[in-house]
Amino acid sequence: MRHLVLALGLISLLARPGAAFEAEAVHDFGPEGAAQISVIGANDLPAIAPVLSAFVGAQPGYRVHYVQAASTEIFRAIHDDRVPFDLVLSSAMDLQMRLVNDGFAANVPDVGGHLPGWQHWRDQLFGIALEPVITLVSRRGLHGLPLPRTRRDLIAMLRENPERFTGRIAAYDPARSGVGYFLLSQDDQYFEGFWRLAEVMGRLNVRQECCSDDMIAQLRAGEVLIAYNVVSSYVSRFAPDDPDLVRLSFEDYTLALLRTALIPRIAANPQAGAELLRHILSAPMQHVIAELSGTPLPEGSGPASAAHLRPIRLDAGLLAYGDQLRRAGALNEWAAAMSQPDEAPEPCHHAPQ
Amino acid sequence: MSGQSRAVPSLRRRLVWQLATLSLLLVLALVTGVRYAAETASRASQDAVLGAAVNALADALRTSDQGLELDLPPAVFSMLGAMGEERLFYSVAINGTVISGYDGLPAPPRPPGQLVSLFWRAAWSGADLTWAATARRLLVDGRLADVVVTLGQTRHGQTAIARETALRAAWVGAGLLLAVIATGLLFTRSALEPIDRLAAAIARRGPHDLHPLHQASAPRELQPFVQALNGFIARLRSSLRMTETFVVEAAHRVRTPLALVQTEAELTLAETEDPALRKRLRRMIRAIGESSRSASQILDHAAVRSRAERFSPSSLDLAALARDGLRAMAPLAELREIDLDAPDLPASCKIRGDARLIEMALRNLLDNALKYSAPEGRVTLRLKAGGRMARLSVLDEGRGLPDDPEMLTGRFVRGANSADVVGSGLGLTIVAEVAAAHGGDFALTPREEKGTCATLSLPLG
């Protein structure tokens, strides 16, 4: 019954009544007084600014009002607070799909036709960037150990060198981070040895972080040697050319999140939102985004993607990950693997991804 | 005429319209039927998938010592959402309390069973959805609880499939409709062709052709029309015949007393010395002669008409007939001191025709020529065979023709230049009718210097 209560608590977490969504940063692009396009996105400013600046440069009649928020806050802003944003950008595929399923997304008929089938869901949700999820390793910290090529190699390396890695592994805290939970669910689905990996990491006192940039910061500070499941766009930005950092794309599979965009049904200016969306999907902007996230979305617009890249499918199956019981079960198992079953996870309102 | 055609639309148009309207109705019925069938079929398959999915969800429920677990398989939602534009809503409820999924979904109309899934329709979140629910009895926290799994799916896909299928059916139907209109036009044309044929056959007829129509050549549907037409023709014929009989009878009855009166007048003239009376008697005799001649010609004309109607040609010698005609007219020519001859008359000229008719034509031709020739004039008869025709020409040196010789062959029509000559205006009509009865031709042409050339052409035998 305890988990039932936990599950109900999580329902209320997703639907906190009364409180407005929390924005992390707000920035305006373009001239004062021009027609305003309100955009909410999970990307921080450095990741999105080049694209938005290029847009207002090409279309001086528009001014883009960008609100940066965590993906769960974005979901709340649209789903609960009904803020009339014109464009919603987020890598939380499950939450974006939930918005579409619950009828919050408008049809944008003249965009999806040019995209491959996997890049859009109907005429409502459009993939704008592919973000591989990689594992970062400190070359110095390995002390000559061979780099693991698969997750099994990783498990073996951690098991054989507990003294070196105890307390020096960082991973997402699935209870605090939406992306963390989502990636855990994907790993659970694709890697049959995932819970073995979780147990090994739990025994080595893995550090559970809320955000990719925290993990990267700890890695660069030398506090941890391995950061498991980091969204690559953060790596590109926070450690663009650190020779010590090795970006591991596991060969058994490397997940890739699809950062998606939708135009809410309640948008104040849906035409302008669609205009901006088309701009983001244009070839030059896709080049810019590919440079920022590391992997190009359309074939041929950047460096070739690895053969073992496994983009997460954009379909109704994503709805399953939002299920409260499923989530509670997965978190429960994670908590058990962390060997700290009595410690209830604390909700993190600070920048989960 | 055009007003009438507006009031009574053409049969073909009416047939085509009726055919097109019927086809349109059939196409509409087809589209509706296909749409209904497609909707039913897609609903059945969607319900089946939805039923399987709700059971897959329910089967993913498990109790553990920590409570209820749901290992929700994403593939279930992937499959449900794969088709159309569907949205999915589900909930898991224990004893009526939602523990997972969406809160406040429409309740099943009655509690679902473990084995039998329940399907119903209800609106939710602004859409029309099909719902499926199934129940599982599970031990939760040591107590048996009814866990109800509800899964709903919008029905856009169904509608879209039905619409698309109906649209395709509509295209096929539109093609059929075009084909029906095209073939309808062809069919009605061929179906109405006998009417056109009949009309043409009637239009082709000569003015005196009152033969009944050939009834067997008309299709059964036109038989009553042909019958009615033939009845009408028969009535017209008998009415015409009655009139003609009456006219002939009248002429006949007038002619005999006229002859008597003429004889009496001539006798009186012989016995009278008084010049004034004699002059008056001469005028009288002349008038009586004119009337008598008219009556004769009316009788001739009636005879020609009646023989022409029952035309039965036989082989005969036109040259011999010509010689006979000349011989018969010789006394009259002598009386008027007119030189009547036929140089180069061939010994024989075979044609097929009615001797009596040709005789009458010849007599009228020669009579005319003599009548309009001045005394001591000359009338020449020529007979030549050229091509497939025998040409019999009578040439005179008379006063010639009025401006429009064509009209002279009309009944009771006389030239503007003939007031002083006795005549009924039927002579040339008789000649023309004889020519027509033989399939020949009659022409009046002026001669080069003076006089007229009247040519009767008859087909050679």
Side-chain angles (χ1 to χ4, degrees):
Chain A
M1 206 60 201
R2 193 172 54 79
H3 286 93
L4 191 60
V5 173
L6 177 71
L8 290 171
L10 282 165
I11 296 177
S12 60
L13 168 74
L14 281 173
R16 268 181 319 187
F21 78 96
E22 286 176 18
E24 291 169 359
V26 171
H27 195 270
D28 287 300
F29 300 84
E32 293 269 357
Q36 177 168 299
I37 309 176
S38 299
V39 181
I40 188 166
N43 291 100
D44 52 7
L45 281 173
I48 197 76
V51 176
L52 298 182
S53 300
F55 177 71
V56 293
Q59 308 254 13
Y62 286 120
R63 174 183 173 83
V64 177
H65 177 70
Y66 182 74
V67 177
Q68 183 197 335
S71 51
T72 47
E73 293 301 309
I74 293 173
F75 179 79
R76 254 164 33 82
I78 306 298
H79 197 274
D80 302 331
D81 299 347
R82 316 258 160 136
V83 184
F85 283 106
D86 299 319
L87 193 63
V88 178
L89 313 171
S90 172
S91 320
M93 299 171 73
D94 49 345
L95 297 181
Q96 293 280 83
M97 183 55 76
R98 175 83 192 270
L99 284 178
V100 168
N101 187 64
D102 290 6
F104 286 91
N107 270 321
V108 192
D110 49 345
V111 171
H114 314 294
L115 302 177
W118 58 266
Q119 206 188 325
H120 66 105
W121 176 246
R122 297 165 188 165
D123 287 330
Q124 297 175 325
L125 197 56
F126 305 94
I128 57 166
L130 203 54
E131 306 202 20
V133 179
I134 57 175
T135 292
L136 288 178
V137 176
S138 163
R139 200 185 294 276
R140 280 196 302 271
L142 286 190
H143 284 298
L145 285 173
L147 285 172
R149 294 175 61 187
T150 64
R151 285 174 178 76
R152 286 183 191 287
D153 292 349
L154 178 66
I155 293 173
M157 186 178 81
L158 294 180
R159 271 187 177 156
E160 286 161 14
N161 305 283
E163 69 293 339
R164 185 174 304 167
F165 293 111
T166 300
R168 308 201 73 180
I169 307 168
Y172 268 119
D173 181 355
R176 287 192 292 160
S177 160
V179 171
Y181 163 69
F182 184 60
L183 293 176
L184 179 150
S185 305
Q186 296 296 327
D187 275 337
D188 181 14
Q189 217 180 327
Y190 292 127
F191 179 36
E192 80 290 347
F194 174 69
W195 293 111
R196 212 142 29 90
L197 175 62
E199 276 164 22
V200 170
M201 291 203 285
R203 270 204 297 281
L204 295 175
N205 287 330
V206 63
R207 294 182 180 211
Q208 298 184 62
E209 305 298 338
C210 75
C211 318
S212 280
D213 47 354
D214 285 357
M215 288 191 257
I216 295 166
Q218 290 179 13
L219 195 66
R220 297 190 75 190
E223 293 169 28
V224 298
L225 305 177
I226 296 175
Y228 181 75
N229 275 2
V230 181
V231 180
S232 70
S233 58
Y234 288 91
V235 186
S236 310
R237 214 157 49 253
F238 291 110
D241 43 11
D242 188 336
D244 181 45
L245 284 191
V246 181
R247 299 162 195 216
L248 279 183
S249 296
F250 285 123
E251 288 172 19
D252 43 355
Y253 64 88
T254 298
L255 292 173
L257 291 167
L258 199 57
R259 196 193 305 162
T260 55
L262 63 85
I263 294 172
R265 204 179 273 261
I266 53 166
N269 194 353
Q271 276 80 31
E275 192 75 35
L276 179 53
L277 176 58
R278 273 191 285 273
H279 168 79
I280 292 173
L281 288 171
S282 68
M285 286 306 108
Q286 284 297 308
H287 276 286
V288 172
I289 292 170
E291 275 170 32
L292 291 171
S293 61
T295 300
L297 191 57
E299 294 293 329
S301 68
S305 54
H308 41 262
L309 200 67
R310 180 174 291 182
I312 297 165
R313 267 209 324 280
L314 191 63
D315 68 19
L318 293 168
L319 293 171
Y321 303 111
D323 182 70
Q324 300 91 324
L325 274 183
R326 191 185 211 281
R327 183 184 164 97
L331 293 182
N332 188 29
E333 206 152 342
W334 174 261
M338 295 300 107
S339 311
Q340 298 159 338
D342 296 329
E343 195 180 307
E346 285 170 34
C348 170
H349 304 315
H350 161 68
Q353 287 137 28
Chain B
M1 190 64 199
S2 66
Q4 239 174 3
S5 72
R6 254 201 303 279
V8 185
S10 94
L11 272 185
R12 182 181 304 161
R13 202 179 306 163
R14 199 190 299 186
L15 276 174
V16 170
W17 268 119
Q18 282 171 354
L19 214 58
T21 312
L22 180 68
S23 316
L24 188 68
L25 288 176
L26 286 177
V27 165
L28 286 179
L30 171 81
V31 170
T32 317
V34 164
R35 193 187 170 121
Y36 176 74
E39 206 166 314
T40 313
S42 66
R43 186 191 307 154
S45 64
Q46 205 185 23
D47 280 0
V49 173
L50 194 66
V54 78
N55 278 299
L57 286 192
D59 290 342
L61 281 168
R62 239 163 292 164
T63 45
S64 69
D65 49 352
Q66 282 152 346
L68 203 59
E69 283 181 0
L70 177 59
D71 189 15
L72 186 60
V76 170
F77 287 162
S78 292
M79 279 190 271
L80 274 184
M83 197 186 68
E85 305 258 308
E86 311 308 351
R87 293 158 57 193
L88 309 169
F89 302 98
Y90 73 99
S91 72
V92 180
I94 300 180
N95 298 329
T97 310
V98 173
I99 58 160
S100 199
Y102 287 78
D103 222 340
L105 296 184
R110 57 181 184 277
Q114 292 213 46
L115 293 175
V116 184
S117 308
L118 191 65
F119 292 92
W120 76 100
R121 290 221 206 146
W124 201 73
S125 178
D128 189 18
L129 288 93
T130 306
W131 298 92
T134 190
R136 293 289 185 273
R137 189 153 288 178
L138 295 169
L139 202 61
V140 183
D141 289 333
R143 278 211 304 262
L144 214 51
D146 270 326
V147 183
V148 174
V149 180
T150 307
L151 179 61
Q153 189 180 21
T154 51
R155 305 192 302 119
H156 302 303
Q158 269 177 32
T159 332
I161 287 175
R163 198 172 43 226
E164 202 169 301
T165 316
L167 195 68
R168 277 187 202 162
W171 277 115
V172 172
L176 279 177
L177 197 63
L178 281 181
V180 161
I181 289 174
T183 49
L185 280 169
L186 282 176
F187 286 172
T188 51
R189 178 167 302 171
S190 77
L192 295 179
E193 206 196 329
I195 296 182
D196 294 343
R197 266 209 313 266
L198 196 62
I202 296 172
R204 259 201 316 273
R205 292 192 158 208
H208 304 301
D209 188 354
L210 286 177
H211 282 98
L213 292 162
H214 190 44
Q215 201 167 329
S217 69
R220 203 176 51 190
E221 288 74 13
L222 284 178
Q223 295 279 344
F225 175 66
V226 173
Q227 254 163 27
L229 208 57
N230 280 344
F232 176 71
I233 288 173
R235 284 199 303 281
L236 189 65
R237 216 154 75 159
S238 77
S239 148
L240 274 177
R241 185 155 298 155
M242 257 166 68
T243 316
E244 272 171 17
T245 313
F246 177 77
V247 170
V248 169
E249 187 73 14
H252 195 70
R253 280 181 184 254
V254 163
R255 198 167 59 160
T256 317
L258 274 181
L260 195 66
V261 170
Q262 190 168 22
T263 315
E264 290 295 325
E266 277 167 0
L267 283 176
T268 316
L269 178 68
E271 289 165 9
T272 310
E273 297 291 321
D274 180 11
L277 193 59
R278 283 182 71 91
K279 194 178 173 188
R280 200 172 290 166
L281 276 170
R282 273 211 190 85
R283 277 212 301 274
M284 210 169 111
I285 288 166
R286 187 180 142 87
I288 292 166
E290 202 166 325
S291 300
S292 164
R293 195 186 167 78
S294 283
S296 295
Q297 278 201 314
I298 286 172
L299 286 173
D300 277 1
H301 181 243
V304 166
R305 286 289 306 278
S306 123
R307 288 190 80 87
E309 215 168 272
R310 288 183 295 277
F311 186 67
S312 52
S314 56
S315 183
L316 49 88
D317 183 359
L318 187 58
L321 284 176
R323 271 190 291 275
D324 290 349
L326 283 175
R327 204 174 301 128
M329 295 310 276
L332 189 62
E334 258 168 53
L335 196 69
R336 302 205 56 192
E337 295 174 12
I338 291 171
D339 188 3
L340 174 63
D341 68 344
D344 318 323
L345 196 66
S348 141
C349 176
K350 294 282 181 203
I351 62 163
R352 280 188 69 76
D354 185 322
R356 178 86 188 86
L357 285 178
I358 294 172
E359 259 170 36
M360 275 192 272
L362 199 55
R363 191 172 68 226
N364 275 288
L365 276 179
L366 291 172
D367 185 51
N368 247 23
L370 294 173
K371 219 163 55 179
Y372 292 105
S373 288
E376 297 176 18
R378 184 186 190 77
V379 169
T380 314
L381 187 143
R382 285 201 187 124
L383 178 59
K384 269 186 193 154
R388 296 166 58 193
M389 292 291 199
R391 257 175 260 284
L392 186 83
S393 307
V394 175
L395 303 97
D396 64 35
E397 294 170 348
R399 63 189 71 185
L401 294 165
D403 294 338
D404 44 352
E406 291 281 316
M407 63 131 195
L408 289 180
T409 52
R411 277 197 228 182
F412 303 108
V413 174
R414 302 195 61 213
N417 54 354
S418 60
D420 57 325
V421 181
V422 173
S424 63
L426 273 174
L428 293 182
T429 312
I430 289 169
V431 178
E433 277 175 3
V434 168
H438 283 80
D441 188 31
F442 175 58
L444 285 167
T445 46
R447 294 182 70 186
E448 265 173 37
E449 285 167 22
K450 66 170 191 169
T452 305
C453 171
T455 308
L456 173 65
S457 308
L458 297 171
L460 283 166

